[in-house]
Amino acid sequence: MKKERSFAQIFSKYGVLMVFIVMFIMFSIFAPNFLRVKNLLNVSRQICTLGICAVGTTIVLISGGIDLSLGYQLSVTNVLCAYLMVKMGMHPVLAILVCLVFGVTVGAINGIIIVKSGVHSMIVTLAISQVLNGVSYLFSRGIPIYGFPAGFSILGQGTVFGIIPVSLIIMAVIFLVGHFVLTSLPFGRYLYAVGSNEEAAKLAGVNTGKVRILAHTLCGLLSAIAGVLLLSRTNSGLSSNGAGFEFNVITACVLGGVSNLGGKGTIYQALLGVLIIGFLENGMLLMNVNEYWQLVVK
């Protein structure tokens, strides 16, 4: 019984990591060019949007909430940034700042409605997602926007020292900041307290409403950053770019070990889930697995 218990504890703690290692070894053997540096760097670029959104989603999940508007937040940021630069001639830096403010505003609105109305975050963010979907099409009219100023593509396609993707550096910094917030700041402890037992947190003097609003606001900010990076990488502002993306993000977080019930999870677990999703997609693509079977596997 002790051996069984100890094995269960080990698997519970390191099981997802074991899955990732086994998957990585299998693709290294069966997927052509999987271990090439060029391919690994390409994967790192592709997972940056997912990874940055996963940090924001992890924060919201730990607080006991969920954000189903994230995908269309990406869509609006994607189209809005493109519209400001191409249609209005705005400088890229100013356009990015406007998009970040927009992301913060949407996140704050999500949090305020959830806290003030008492309606579950799933319902509120699902409703907001439909509003954002409409807004994105009002900007784009369903037509891709392209023709950005020179230099904008550096964020999503540029490299440092000719090797390290700029987007990978941005994602790494955000993961480190997220880890610091959850492990070293009082706000991180409040998030876990609210997600574990909101009533107990209230009795302990925690402003639970403020914590929830801030969690959604941070998620909105990070989704805006991810949307800008996605636009820079694809060089095309399109309303459908973020459609359904929230489910990929939530899958990555929960797969890594972040609890969808609140109160449990780490940035490390979110990163692990992101790596599994990213390398799973890449490995199946290199093995020429039918796209419909890829959906089944995911």
Side-chain angles (χ1 to χ4, degrees), residues 98-110:
V98 170
C99 289
L100 296 185
V101 171
F102 176 80
V104 168
T105 303
V106 172
I109 290 172
N110 274 338

Side-chain angles (χ1 to χ4, degrees), residues 75 99 141 179 189 217 230 245 255:
S75 296
C99 289
R141 307 283 182 182
H179 175 73
R189 295 193 291 274
T217 302
L230 178 63
F245 192 73
L255 178 63

Side-chain angles (χ1 to χ4, degrees), residues 67-296:
D67 190 348
L68 296 182
S69 68
L70 188 145
Y72 287 117
Q73 287 181 47
L74 273 178
S75 296
V76 176
T77 303
N78 196 267
V79 170
L80 176 61
C81 191
Y83 184 88
L84 292 175
M85 290 189 292
V86 177
K87 303 294 184 181
M88 299 186 65
M90 189 176 288
H91 191 279
V93 174
L94 185 56
I96 291 171
L97 290 176
V98 170
C99 289
L100 296 185
V101 171
F102 176 80
V104 168
T105 303
V106 172
I109 290 172
N110 274 338
I112 291 170
I113 294 176
I114 290 165
V115 170
K116 298 300 182 181
S117 69
V119 178
H120 195 279
S121 57
M122 180 181 292
I123 305 300
V124 172
T125 56
L126 183 61
I128 293 294
S129 73
Q130 299 307 305
V131 174
L132 294 175
N133 187 28
V135 170
S136 70
Y137 277 101
L138 287 174
F139 277 109
S140 71
R141 307 283 182 182
I143 302 172
I145 304 174
Y146 51 88
F148 310 129
F152 178 70
S153 61
I154 291 175
L155 289 173
Q157 302 176 35
T159 58
V160 177
F161 305 122
I163 299 177
I164 307 172
V166 173
S167 54
L168 178 61
I169 296 174
I170 295 173
M171 183 183 75
V173 170
I174 289 174
F175 267 101
L176 289 173
V177 172
H179 175 73
F180 176 76
V181 168
L182 291 181
T183 59
S184 303
L185 295 184
F187 174 67
R189 295 193 291 274
Y190 297 158
L191 280 172
Y192 286 105
V194 172
S196 297
N197 191 322
E198 187 171 1
E199 289 303 318
K202 281 182 181 179
L203 294 174
V206 177
N207 188 334
T208 57
K210 185 177 179 181
V211 170
R212 284 183 175 274
I213 292 172
L214 188 52
H216 282 277
T217 302
L218 288 174
C219 187
L221 171 62
L222 292 175
S223 70
I225 294 173
V228 170
L229 287 179
L230 178 63
L231 178 65
S232 179
R233 181 168 65 85
T234 60
N235 268 329
S236 178
L238 191 61
S239 293
S240 60
N241 273 347
F245 192 73
E246 66 276 8
F247 296 109
N248 281 353
V249 179
I250 294 170
T251 299
C253 292
V254 176
L255 178 63
V258 181
S259 174
N260 63 325
L261 300 177
K264 292 181 181 179
T266 64
I267 295 297
Y268 156 76
Q269 290 174 322
L271 174 60
L272 192 55
V274 167
L275 290 175
I276 290 176
I277 294 294
F279 281 107
L280 180 64
E281 290 180 348
N282 177 256
M284 289 192 295
L285 191 63
L286 291 176
M287 292 176 65
N288 292 319
V289 176
N290 182 284
E291 62 177 311
Y292 303 121
W293 276 112
Q294 289 185 37
L295 291 174
V296 171

